[in-house]
Amino acid sequence: MAKPIRFLFLLLVLGGLALPGWTQERPAPLRIGFLSVPPFAQRDSEGEETGFLVELAQHLATELGTSITLVPVTSSRDFVQAQVEGRTDLIAEHRPTACAA
């Protein structure tokens, strides 16, 4: 249970780090990179992004008073490249970890 809470906290902190560059009038859409990992993020049969991380990103954008643009990435390495190139403001990724026995 602690891992999802840590993930949500990290996502909110990263969202907060993106705030200083925004203006008070009309903030640009929040560009969020995501890796397609069902049920966290995926494209449905109509080509729309859906899943837990997508819904969380939409709620975050609503709270921040902006919209989101989802930027699909193909790997963890692509997440880094997207950040370096300025294609994303933050990332939404679920990274499974081994549970301690």
Side-chain angles (χ1 to χ4, degrees):
M1 186 66 180
K3 290 180 184 181
I5 292 172
R6 280 188 278 176
F7 173 78
L8 294 175
F9 177 74
L10 179 61
L11 186 62
L12 291 175
V13 168
L14 290 175
L17 291 175
L19 286 176
W22 291 351
T23 63
Q24 293 292 326
E25 296 171 6
R26 299 187 92 181
L30 185 60
R31 299 169 300 164
I32 301 175
F34 79 98
L35 183 63
S36 184
V37 179
F40 301 99
Q42 70 226 2
R43 289 189 188 266
D44 64 14
S45 60
E46 296 159 3
E48 296 292 321
E49 292 87 3
T50 185
F52 172 74
L53 294 177
V54 175
E55 291 177 21
L56 182 63
Q58 290 168 338
H59 286 292
L60 176 63
T62 299
E63 288 295 318
L64 296 174
T66 188
S67 60
I68 61 170
T69 299
L70 295 171
V71 180
V73 295
T74 57
S75 67
S76 294
R77 183 173 291 182
D78 194 23
F79 272 131
V80 174
Q81 192 65 30
Q83 286 282 271
V84 169
E85 294 173 355
R87 292 185 286 136
T88 58
D89 298 314
L90 58 97
I91 59 173
E93 178 184 23
H94 174 262
R95 184 173 298 259
T97 58
C99 295

